[in-house]
Coordinates of all heavy atoms in Angstrom, one line a residue:
M130 N 8.9 47.8 99.7 CA 8.1 46.8 98.8 C 8.8 45.4 99.0 O 10.1 45.5 98.8 CB 7.9 47.4 97.4 CG 7.2 46.5 96.5 SD 6.7 47.2 94.9 CE 8.2 47.1 94.0
A131 N 8.2 44.5 98.9 CA 8.7 43.1 98.9 C 8.2 42.3 97.8 O 7.1 42.6 97.2 CB 8.4 42.3 100.2
Y132 N 9.0 41.4 97.2 CA 8.7 40.6 96.1 C 8.5 39.0 96.5 O 9.5 38.6 97.3 CB 9.7 40.7 95.0 CG 9.5 39.8 93.9 CD1 8.6 40.1 93.0 CD2 10.3 38.7 93.7 CE1 8.4 39.3 91.8 CE2 10.2 37.9 92.6 CZ 9.3 38.1 91.8 OH 9.1 37.3 90.6
V133 N 7.6 38.4 96.1 CA 7.5 36.9 96.2 C 7.3 36.3 94.8 O 6.4 36.8 94.0 CB 6.3 36.5 97.1 CG1 6.1 35.1 97.3 CG2 6.5 37.3 98.5
T134 N 7.9 35.3 94.4 CA 7.8 34.7 93.1 C 6.4 34.2 93.0 O 5.8 33.7 94.0 CB 8.9 33.7 92.8 OG1 8.7 32.6 93.8 CG2 10.3 34.3 93.1
G135 N 6.0 34.1 91.7 CA 4.8 33.4 91.5 C 4.7 31.9 91.9 O 3.7 31.5 92.4
L136 N 5.9 31.2 91.7 CA 5.9 29.8 92.1 C 5.8 29.7 93.6 O 5.0 28.9 94.1 CB 7.2 29.2 91.7 CG 7.4 27.8 92.0 CD1 6.4 26.8 91.4 CD2 8.8 27.3 91.5
T137 N 6.4 30.6 94.3 CA 6.3 30.5 95.7 C 4.9 30.7 96.3 O 4.3 30.1 97.1 CB 7.2 31.6 96.4 OG1 8.7 31.3 96.1 CG2 7.2 31.6 98.0
L138 N 4.2 31.8 95.7 CA 2.8 32.1 96.0 C 1.9 30.8 95.6 O 1.0 30.5 96.5 CB 2.4 33.3 95.2 CG 1.0 33.8 95.5 CD1 0.7 34.0 97.0 CD2 0.5 35.0 94.6
R139 N 2.1 30.2 94.6 CA 1.3 29.1 94.1 C 1.5 28.0 95.2 O 0.6 27.3 95.6 CB 1.6 28.6 92.7 CG 1.3 29.5 91.8 CD -0.3 29.6 91.3 NE -1.3 29.4 92.3 CZ -2.0 30.3 92.8 NH1 -1.9 31.7 92.5 NH2 -3.0 30.1 93.8
R140 N 2.6 27.8 95.5 CA 3.0 26.6 96.5 C 2.5 26.9 97.8 O 1.9 26.0 98.5 CB 4.5 26.5 96.7 CG 5.0 25.7 95.6 CD 6.5 25.4 95.7 NE 7.1 24.6 94.5 CZ 8.3 24.6 94.2 NH1 9.3 25.1 95.0 NH2 8.7 23.9 93.2
A141 N 2.4 28.3 98.3 CA 1.7 28.7 99.5 C 0.2 28.4 99.4 O -0.4 28.0 100.4 CB 2.0 30.1 99.8
A142 N -0.3 28.8 98.3 CA -1.8 28.7 98.1 C -2.2 27.2 98.1 O -3.3 26.9 98.6 CB -2.2 29.2 96.8
D143 N -1.3 26.3 97.8 CA -1.6 24.9 97.8 C -1.9 24.4 99.3 O -2.6 23.5 99.5 CB -0.5 24.0 97.2 CG -0.5 24.2 95.8 OD1 -1.4 24.7 95.2 OD2 0.5 23.7 95.1
L144 N -1.4 25.2 100.2 CA -1.6 24.8 101.7 C -2.9 25.2 102.2 O -3.4 24.9 103.3 CB -0.5 25.4 102.5 CG 0.9 25.1 102.2 CD1 1.9 25.9 102.9 CD2 1.1 23.6 102.3
Y145 N -3.8 26.0 101.4 CA -5.1 26.5 101.9 C -6.2 25.7 101.2 O -6.1 25.2 100.2 CB -5.2 28.0 101.5 CG -4.2 28.9 102.2 CD1 -2.9 29.0 101.9 CD2 -4.7 29.5 103.4 CE1 -2.1 29.8 102.5 CE2 -3.8 30.2 104.1 CZ -2.5 30.5 103.8 OH -1.7 31.2 104.4
A146 N -7.3 25.5 101.9 CA -8.4 24.8 101.4 C -9.1 25.6 100.2 O -8.9 26.7 100.1 CB -9.4 24.7 102.5
G147 N -9.6 24.7 99.4 CA -10.3 25.4 98.2 C -9.2 25.5 97.0 O -8.1 25.8 97.2
A148 N -9.8 25.2 95.7 CA -8.9 25.3 94.6 C -9.2 26.5 93.8 O -8.5 26.7 92.8 CB -9.2 24.0 93.8
A149 N -10.2 27.3 94.2 CA -10.4 28.5 93.3 C -9.4 29.5 93.4 O -8.9 29.9 94.4 CB -11.8 29.1 93.8
K150 N -8.9 30.0 92.2 CA -7.9 31.0 92.2 C -8.6 32.4 91.9 O -9.2 32.6 90.9 CB -7.0 30.8 91.1 CG -5.8 31.8 91.0 CD -5.0 31.6 89.8 CE -3.9 32.7 89.6 NZ -4.1 34.0 90.0
T151 N -8.6 33.2 92.9 CA -9.2 34.6 92.8 C -8.2 35.6 93.3 O -7.2 35.3 94.0 CB -10.4 34.6 93.6 OG1 -10.0 34.6 95.1 CG2 -11.5 33.6 93.2
D152 N -8.4 36.9 92.9 CA -7.6 38.0 93.3 C -7.6 38.0 94.9 O -6.6 38.2 95.6 CB -7.9 39.3 92.6 CG -7.6 39.3 91.1 OD1 -6.7 38.4 90.8 OD2 -8.0 40.1 90.4
A153 N -8.8 38.0 95.4 CA -9.0 38.1 96.8 C -8.3 36.9 97.5 O -7.7 37.1 98.6 CB -10.5 38.1 97.2
G154 N -8.4 35.7 96.9 CA -7.7 34.6 97.6 C -6.2 34.8 97.5 O -5.6 34.5 98.5
D155 N -5.7 35.1 96.3 CA -4.4 35.4 96.2 C -3.9 36.6 97.3 O -2.8 36.3 97.8 CB -3.9 35.9 94.9 CG -3.9 34.8 93.8 OD1 -4.0 33.5 94.3 OD2 -3.9 35.0 92.7
A156 N -4.6 37.5 97.5 CA -4.3 38.5 98.4 C -4.2 38.0 99.8 O -3.3 38.3 100.6 CB -5.2 39.7 98.4
Q157 N -5.0 37.2 100.2 CA -5.1 36.6 101.5 C -3.9 35.6 101.6 O -3.2 35.7 102.7 CB -6.4 35.8 101.7 CG -6.6 35.4 103.1 CD -6.1 34.1 103.5 OE1 -5.9 33.2 102.7 NE2 -5.6 34.0 104.7
V158 N -3.6 34.8 100.7 CA -2.4 34.0 100.8 C -1.1 34.7 100.9 O -0.2 34.5 101.6 CB -2.4 33.0 99.5 CG1 -1.1 32.3 99.5 CG2 -3.6 32.0 99.6
L159 N -1.0 35.8 100.0 CA 0.2 36.6 100.0 C 0.4 37.2 101.3 O 1.5 37.3 101.9 CB 0.1 37.6 98.9 CG 1.4 38.5 98.7 CD1 2.7 37.7 98.4 CD2 1.1 39.4 97.5
A160 N -0.7 37.8 101.9 CA -0.6 38.6 103.2 C -0.2 37.6 104.3 O 0.7 37.9 105.1 CB -2.0 39.3 103.5
D161 N -0.8 36.4 104.3 CA -0.5 35.4 105.3 C 1.0 34.9 105.2 O 1.8 34.8 106.1 CB -1.4 34.3 105.2 CG -1.3 33.3 106.5 OD1 -1.4 33.7 107.7 OD2 -1.0 32.1 106.2
F162 N 1.4 34.7 103.9 CA 2.8 34.3 103.6 C 3.8 35.3 104.2 O 4.8 35.0 104.8 CB 2.9 33.9 102.2 CG 4.3 33.5 101.8 CD1 4.8 32.3 102.0 CD2 5.3 34.5 101.4 CE1 6.0 31.9 101.7 CE2 6.7 34.1 101.1 CZ 7.0 32.8 101.2
A163 N 3.4 36.6 103.9 CA 4.4 37.7 104.2 C 4.5 37.7 105.7 O 5.6 38.0 106.3 CB 3.9 38.9 103.6
W164 N 3.3 37.6 106.4 CA 3.3 37.7 107.8 C 4.1 36.6 108.5 O 4.9 36.9 109.5 CB 1.8 37.7 108.4 CG 1.6 37.9 109.8 CD1 1.9 39.0 110.5 CD2 1.1 36.9 110.7 NE1 1.7 38.7 111.8 CE2 1.2 37.5 111.9 CE3 0.8 35.5 110.5 CZ2 0.7 36.7 113.1 CZ3 0.4 34.8 111.7 CH2 0.3 35.5 112.9
R165 N 3.9 35.4 108.0 CA 4.6 34.3 108.6 C 6.1 34.1 108.1 O 6.9 33.4 108.8 CB 3.9 33.0 108.2 CG 2.5 32.9 108.8 CD 1.7 31.7 108.3 NE 0.4 31.6 108.8 CZ -0.1 31.1 109.9 NH1 0.8 30.5 110.7 NH2 -1.3 31.2 110.1
N166 N 6.4 34.7 107.0 CA 7.8 34.4 106.4 C 8.5 35.7 106.0 O 9.1 35.8 105.0 CB 7.6 33.5 105.1 CG 7.0 32.3 105.5 OD1 7.7 31.3 106.0 ND2 5.8 32.1 105.1
A167 N 8.4 36.7 106.9 CA 9.1 38.1 106.6 C 10.5 38.0 106.2 O 11.1 38.7 105.5 CB 8.9 39.0 107.7
D168 N 11.2 36.9 106.9 CA 12.6 36.9 106.6 C 12.9 36.2 105.2 O 14.0 36.3 104.8 CB 13.2 36.0 107.7 CG 12.6 34.5 107.7 OD1 11.3 34.4 107.7 OD2 13.4 33.6 107.9
R169 N 11.9 35.6 104.6 CA 12.2 35.0 103.3 C 11.7 36.0 102.1 O 11.9 35.7 100.9 CB 11.3 33.7 103.2 CG 11.8 32.7 104.1 CD 10.9 31.5 104.0 NE 11.0 30.9 102.8 CZ 10.1 30.0 102.4 NH1 9.1 29.6 103.2 NH2 10.1 29.6 101.1
L170 N 11.3 37.2 102.4 CA 10.8 38.1 101.3 C 12.1 38.8 100.8 O 13.1 39.0 101.4 CB 9.9 39.2 102.0 CG 8.6 38.7 102.6 CD1 7.8 39.8 103.0 CD2 7.8 38.0 101.5
T171 N 11.9 39.2 99.5 CA 13.0 39.9 98.8 C 12.5 41.4 98.9 O 11.5 41.7 98.2 CB 13.3 39.5 97.4 OG1 13.6 38.1 97.4 CG2 14.3 40.2 96.7
W172 N 13.2 42.2 99.5 CA 12.8 43.5 99.7 C 13.5 44.4 98.7 O 14.8 44.3 98.3 CB 13.2 44.2 101.1 CG 12.3 43.6 102.1 CD1 12.6 42.4 102.9 CD2 11.0 43.9 102.5 NE1 11.6 42.1 103.7 CE2 10.6 43.0 103.5 CE3 10.2 45.0 102.2 CZ2 9.4 43.1 104.2 CZ3 8.9 45.1 102.8 CH2 8.5 44.1 103.7
T173 N 12.8 45.4 98.1 CA 13.4 46.3 97.1 C 13.0 47.7 97.4 O 12.0 47.9 98.1 CB 12.9 45.8 95.6 OG1 13.6 46.6 94.7 CG2 11.4 45.9 95.5
T174 N 13.7 48.7 96.9 CA 13.5 50.1 97.1 C 12.6 50.5 95.9 O 12.8 50.2 94.7 CB 14.7 50.9 97.0 OG1 15.6 50.4 98.1 CG2 14.4 52.3 97.3
V175 N 11.5 51.2 96.2 CA 10.6 51.7 95.2 C 11.2 52.9 94.6 O 11.6 53.9 95.2 CB 9.2 52.1 95.7 CG1 8.3 52.6 94.7 CG2 8.6 50.8 96.4
T176 N 11.4 53.0 93.3 CA 12.0 54.1 92.5 C 11.1 54.4 91.3 O 10.2 53.6 91.1 CB 13.3 53.7 91.9 OG1 13.3 52.7 90.9 CG2 14.4 53.3 93.0
D177 N 11.3 55.5 90.7 CA 10.4 56.0 89.6 C 10.6 55.0 88.5 O 9.6 54.7 87.8 CB 10.8 57.4 89.1 CG 10.4 58.4 90.2 OD1 9.5 58.2 90.9 OD2 10.9 59.6 90.1
E178 N 11.9 54.4 88.3 CA 12.1 53.5 87.1 C 11.3 52.2 87.4 O 10.8 51.8 86.5 CB 13.5 53.2 87.0 CG 13.8 52.3 85.9 CD 15.3 51.9 85.7 OE1 16.2 52.4 86.5 OE2 15.7 51.0 85.0
L179 N 11.4 51.7 88.7 CA 10.6 50.5 89.0 C 9.2 50.6 88.8 O 8.5 49.8 88.2 CB 10.9 50.1 90.5 CG 10.1 48.9 91.0 CD1 10.5 47.6 90.2 CD2 10.4 48.7 92.4
L180 N 8.6 51.9 89.3 CA 7.2 52.0 89.1 C 6.8 52.1 87.5 O 5.8 51.5 87.1 CB 6.8 53.3 89.8 CG 6.7 53.2 91.2 CD1 6.4 54.7 91.8 CD2 5.7 52.3 91.7
A181 N 7.7 52.7 86.7 CA 7.5 52.7 85.3 C 7.5 51.4 84.7 O 6.6 51.1 83.8 CB 8.5 53.6 84.6
R182 N 8.4 50.5 85.1 CA 8.6 49.1 84.6 C 7.2 48.4 85.0 O 6.7 47.5 84.2 CB 9.8 48.5 85.0 CG 11.0 49.1 84.3 CD 12.2 48.4 84.9 NE 13.4 48.9 84.4 CZ 14.4 48.1 83.9 NH1 14.5 46.8 84.2 NH2 15.4 48.7 83.3
L183 N 6.9 48.5 86.3 CA 5.6 47.8 86.7 C 4.5 48.3 86.0 O 3.5 47.5 85.6 CB 5.5 48.0 88.2 CG 6.5 47.3 89.1 CD1 6.3 47.7 90.6 CD2 6.3 45.8 89.0
R184 N 4.3 49.5 85.7 CA 3.2 50.0 84.8 C 3.2 49.4 83.4 O 2.1 49.0 82.8 CB 3.1 51.5 84.8 CG 2.7 52.2 86.0 CD 2.6 53.7 85.9 NE 2.4 54.3 87.1 CZ 3.2 55.0 87.9 NH1 4.5 55.2 87.4 NH2 3.0 55.5 89.1
I185 N 4.3 49.3 82.8 CA 4.5 48.7 81.5 C 4.1 47.3 81.5 O 3.3 46.8 80.8 CB 5.9 48.9 80.9 CG1 6.1 50.3 80.7 CG2 6.1 47.9 79.7 CD1 7.6 50.7 80.4
L186 N 4.6 46.5 82.5 CA 4.3 45.0 82.7 C 2.8 44.9 82.9 O 2.2 44.0 82.4 CB 5.1 44.4 83.9 CG 5.0 43.1 84.3 CD1 5.4 42.2 83.0 CD2 5.8 42.7 85.4
N187 N 2.2 45.7 83.7 CA 0.7 45.5 84.1 C 0.0 45.9 82.9 O -1.0 45.2 82.5 CB 0.3 46.5 85.1 CG -1.1 46.3 85.5 OD1 -1.5 45.1 85.9 ND2 -2.0 47.3 85.5
G188 N 0.4 46.8 82.0 CA -0.4 47.2 80.8 C -0.2 46.0 79.8 O -1.2 45.7 79.1
R189 N 1.0 45.4 79.7 CA 1.1 44.3 78.8 C 0.2 43.2 79.2 O -0.4 42.4 78.5 CB 2.6 43.8 78.8 CG 2.9 42.6 77.9 CD 2.8 43.0 76.4 NE 3.1 41.9 75.6 CZ 2.4 41.5 74.6 NH1 1.4 42.2 74.2 NH2 2.9 40.4 73.9
N190 N 0.1 42.8 80.6 CA -0.7 41.8 81.1 C -2.2 42.1 80.7 O -2.9 41.2 80.3 CB -0.5 41.7 82.6 CG -1.2 40.5 83.1 OD1 -1.2 39.4 82.6 ND2 -2.0 40.7 84.2
T191 N -2.6 43.4 80.9 CA -4.0 43.7 80.5 C -4.2 43.5 79.1 O -5.4 43.1 78.7 CB -4.2 45.2 80.9 OG1 -4.0 45.4 82.3 CG2 -5.6 45.6 80.6
D192 N -3.3 43.9 78.2 CA -3.4 43.7 76.7 C -3.5 42.2 76.4 O -4.4 41.9 75.6 CB -2.3 44.3 76.0 CG -2.2 45.8 76.0 OD1 -3.2 46.4 76.4 OD2 -1.2 46.4 75.7
L193 N -2.7 41.3 77.0 CA -2.7 40.0 76.8 C -4.1 39.4 77.2 O -4.7 38.5 76.5 CB -1.7 39.3 77.5 CG -0.3 39.5 76.8 CD1 0.8 38.9 77.8 CD2 -0.1 39.0 75.5
A194 N -4.7 39.8 78.3 CA -5.9 39.3 78.8 C -7.1 39.8 77.9 O -7.9 39.0 77.5 CB -6.3 39.8 80.3
A195 N -7.0 40.9 77.3 CA -8.0 41.4 76.3 C -7.9 40.6 75.1 O -9.0 40.3 74.4 CB -7.8 43.0 76.1
D196 N -6.6 40.4 74.6 CA -6.5 39.6 73.5 C -7.2 38.2 73.5 O -7.8 37.7 72.7 CB -5.1 39.4 73.0 CG -4.5 40.8 72.4 OD1 -5.2 41.6 72.2 OD2 -3.2 40.9 72.5
A197 N -6.9 37.6 74.8 CA -7.4 36.3 75.0 C -8.9 36.3 75.0 O -9.5 35.4 74.4 CB -6.8 35.7 76.3
T198 N -9.5 37.2 75.6 CA -10.9 37.4 75.6 C -11.5 37.6 74.2 O -12.5 36.8 73.9 CB -11.3 38.6 76.5 OG1 -10.9 38.4 77.9 CG2 -12.8 38.7 76.5
R199 N -10.9 38.3 73.4 CA -11.4 38.6 72.0 C -11.2 37.3 71.2 O -12.2 36.9 70.5 CB -10.5 39.6 71.3 CG -11.0 41.0 71.6 CD -10.4 42.1 70.7 NE -8.9 42.3 71.0 CZ -8.4 43.0 71.8 NH1 -9.1 43.7 72.7 NH2 -7.0 43.1 72.0
A200 N -10.1 36.5 71.4 CA -9.9 35.2 70.6 C -11.0 34.2 71.1 O -11.7 33.5 70.3 CB -8.5 34.7 70.9
A201 N -11.3 34.2 72.3 CA -12.3 33.2 72.9 C -13.7 33.6 72.3 O -14.5 32.7 71.9 CB -12.3 33.2 74.4
N202 N -13.9 34.9 72.3 CA -15.3 35.3 71.8 C -15.4 35.0 70.3 O -16.5 34.6 69.9 CB -15.4 36.8 72.0 CG -15.7 37.2 73.5 OD1 -16.1 36.3 74.3 ND2 -15.4 38.5 74.0
R203 N -14.4 35.2 69.6 CA -14.4 34.9 68.2 C -14.7 33.4 67.9 O -15.4 33.0 67.0 CB -13.0 35.3 67.5 CG -13.1 36.7 67.0 CD -11.8 36.9 66.1 NE -11.3 38.1 66.6 CZ -9.9 38.1 67.1 NH1 -9.1 37.3 67.0 NH2 -9.6 39.4 67.7
L204 N -14.1 32.5 68.7 CA -14.2 31.0 68.6 C -15.7 30.8 68.9 O -16.3 29.8 68.3 CB -13.3 30.4 69.6 CG -11.8 30.2 69.2 CD1 -11.0 29.6 70.3 CD2 -11.7 29.5 67.9
V205 N -16.3 31.4 69.9 CA -17.7 31.1 70.2 C -18.7 31.5 69.1 O -19.6 30.7 68.7 CB -18.0 31.8 71.5 CG1 -19.6 31.8 71.8 CG2 -17.3 31.3 72.7
T206 N -18.4 32.6 68.4 CA -19.3 33.1 67.4 C -19.1 32.2 66.1 O -19.9 32.1 65.3 CB -19.0 34.6 67.0 OG1 -17.6 34.7 66.6 CG2 -19.4 35.5 68.1
L207 N -17.8 31.5 66.0 CA -17.7 30.7 64.8 C -18.3 29.4 64.9 O -18.6 28.7 64.0 CB -16.2 30.5 64.5 CG -15.4 31.8 64.1 CD1 -13.9 31.5 64.1 CD2 -15.9 32.3 62.8
C208 N -18.5 28.9 66.1 CA -19.1 27.6 66.4 C -20.6 27.5 66.2 O -21.4 28.2 66.2 CB -18.8 27.2 67.8 SG -17.0 26.9 68.0

């Protein structure tokens, strides 16, 4: 497994046409970046601890997205 920082990915995405940020677009940029810059990737070993930490991080991200959606929906109903 390799790691690319979010800043590196955003800078790479700036080189592609279109401003829309989508998961599919990010996947394409990441795949192209990895293919062209394999020597710049940070490689890591997948362990059970790493997978557990990634699951926790992903769960936290999902919780934050749900909280943001609830807050936005509350604002809409108040207006």
Side-chain angles (χ1 to χ4, degrees):
M130 180 169 75
Y132 173 76
V133 176
T134 66
L136 180 59
T137 301
L138 181 60
R139 292 283 35 104
R140 286 185 178 161
D143 290 343
L144 301 173
Y145 292 83
K150 182 185 178 323
T151 63
D152 288 342
D155 283 349
Q157 192 273 330
V158 169
L159 184 57
D161 190 54
F162 178 85
W164 181 67
R165 295 174 189 268
N166 300 285
D168 59 320
R169 295 177 59 196
L170 298 176
T171 302
W172 291 92
T173 185
T174 303
V175 178
T176 63
D177 289 340
E178 181 184 353
L179 176 63
L180 290 175
R182 288 178 181 221
L183 288 173
R184 284 186 188 104
I185 291 169
L186 181 61
N187 186 55
R189 180 70 178 133
N190 188 45
T191 301
D192 290 345
L193 289 172
D196 289 346
T198 299
R199 278 192 294 276
N202 288 339
R203 275 190 232 128
L204 287 173
V205 169
T206 58
L207 293 174
C208 292

